[in-house]
Amino acid sequence: MSQHLASSVRFAPSSSVTTVRRAFPLAQTLPWLAGPVWLVAALVTWRIPDADDFPATNDLAVLFAAVGLVLLIAAAGRRLSTRAPWAIALGVGFGLWEVAQAKLLWLPRPFFGTPQDLLDVFQSDWRKLGDSLLHSLALLATGYLGGATLGIAVGAGLGRSPRFRYWVRPIMRLVGPLPPVALLPLAFVLIPSSRVAGDALMALAAGFPVAVLTWSGIAAVDPAYYDVARTMGAKQRFLLFHVALPAATPQIFVGLFMGLGASFSMLVVAEMLGVKSGLGFYLQWAQGWAAYPNMYAALLVMSLMCSALMTVLFKLRDHLLNWQKDGLKW
């Protein structure tokens, strides 16, 4: 057996051995390239003169240099192996953006700003951005959490009660598929407070997918689970909270993810059209005054906010469903 193994190694294709040998140096080199890329971007930002009077150029160069130093420290600590390609791509992207717009003005202004403009917005208008973020989070929390709770309750009723299903299912088929945005004018007429109207529409946006998928999850539970619980004296309340809902939890989380995206979309529309606060309102204000860097800053904050909420929801799912292996990662 040992002779056969030795002959297999001896006569292995040289190309495959060369590929393996080249893979390891590349994987070890990439983390060390990320820091210098950002340092080069900092040098370009600092040394090449701007084509116009842009704010915060020196601050941007310092920021790029700081990121480069942090990446070098991370590479020395072997903490950048998987993120190195993205770190390099972002450094190259910011460097090219800086050269194309701040140094050469290749894109029309004011529609396309520079990295300096974006940094200046965060430096000078961070109070208004932070206040808008807090208002959006508060509005989203009440609307989404209310809709998710109502959706789970309705889905549980649909899955466990034939009488409840008889009366509620036609209403869901009539109202559920309607886009909540289409109900915005009616909501602002019927509900005096624009904030409460926004909360109601976000609850509708989140509640429908959560209710449908909770119902689907409960309907898919193996009836043998209920039979075993009944033989041990379980009542309907126990069957719902200790058998049906735990077994339907994976489906419920799918509905929660879908509902979060729908609620976030409804949040932005409600703030742009009726609610006089939040990131959507800030975005509308920036567009009205042609403050395009402020608009891009608001879009970036929106993206980070939604991504962070998705991450929290995934962490909660992983904690509650730790028995699931190789699930979807965010």
Side-chain angles (χ1 to χ4, degrees), residues 155-200:
L158 291 169
R160 295 293 301 159
S161 174
R163 182 176 298 178
F164 184 87
R165 184 163 59 249
Y166 175 82
W167 289 105
V168 175
R169 182 182 174 186
I171 300 175
M172 287 190 61
R173 294 182 65 177
L174 179 66
V175 179
L178 290 175
V181 178
L183 301 176
L184 193 63
L186 183 62
F188 284 153
V189 170
L190 297 178
I191 303 176
S193 172
S194 59
R195 181 181 181 85
V196 177
D199 279 332

Side-chain angles (χ1 to χ4, degrees), residues 58-266:
N58 291 334
D59 293 341
L60 183 67
V62 171
L63 178 62
F64 284 169
V67 173
L69 293 176
V70 170
L71 291 174
L72 286 175
I73 295 173
R78 300 180 182 275
R79 297 182 179 180
L80 200 61
S81 56
T82 59
R83 296 181 175 88
W86 264 111
I88 295 173
L90 288 175
V92 172
F94 275 108
L96 293 177
W97 181 16
E98 173 68 16
V99 172
Q101 189 62 2
K103 311 305 181 184
L104 301 177
L105 284 181
W106 280 353
L107 302 175
R109 298 193 69 198
F111 307 105
F112 296 94
T114 64
Q116 292 95 318
D117 293 325
L118 193 62
L119 179 61
D120 181 64
V121 170
F122 285 111
Q123 288 179 332
S124 61
D125 210 24
W126 63 272
R127 291 183 182 275
K128 186 179 292 185
L129 272 172
D131 182 70
S132 300
L133 175 62
L134 291 178
H135 278 88
S136 292
L137 284 173
L139 187 62
L140 182 65
T142 53
Y144 173 70
L145 293 178
T149 304
L150 182 62
I152 293 174
V154 171
L158 291 169
R160 295 293 301 159
S161 174
R163 182 176 298 178
F164 184 87
R165 184 163 59 249
Y166 175 82
W167 289 105
V168 175
R169 182 182 174 186
I171 300 175
M172 287 190 61
R173 294 182 65 177
L174 179 66
V175 179
L178 290 175
V181 178
L183 301 176
L184 193 63
L186 183 62
F188 284 153
V189 170
L190 297 178
I191 303 176
S193 172
S194 59
R195 181 181 181 85
V196 177
D199 279 332
L201 291 176
M202 280 189 292
L204 177 62
F208 180 68
V210 173
V212 170
L213 285 160
T214 301
W215 176 18
S216 174
I218 291 177
V221 176
D222 190 345
Y225 295 163
Y226 299 121
D227 295 337
V228 171
R230 288 192 189 97
T231 58
M232 302 182 69
K235 304 299 182 181
Q236 289 296 327
R237 183 184 180 89
F238 184 92
L239 294 177
L240 175 62
F241 288 101
H242 296 276
V243 179
L245 287 177
T249 302
Q251 289 286 87
I252 293 174
F253 269 100
V254 175
L256 290 174
F257 288 124
M258 296 175 61
L260 180 58
S263 291
F264 188 77
S265 300
M266 190 63 242

Side-chain angles (χ1 to χ4, degrees), residues 35-46:
V37 166
W38 283 85
L39 293 176
V40 170
L43 184 63
V44 168
T45 303
W46 178 49

Side-chain angles (χ1 to χ4, degrees), residues 253 256 310-321:
F253 269 100
L256 290 174
M310 282 287 186
T311 301
V312 171
L313 197 55
F314 266 94
K315 294 292 185 182
L316 179 61
R317 186 210 63 170
D318 293 340
H319 176 72
L320 295 178
L321 302 178

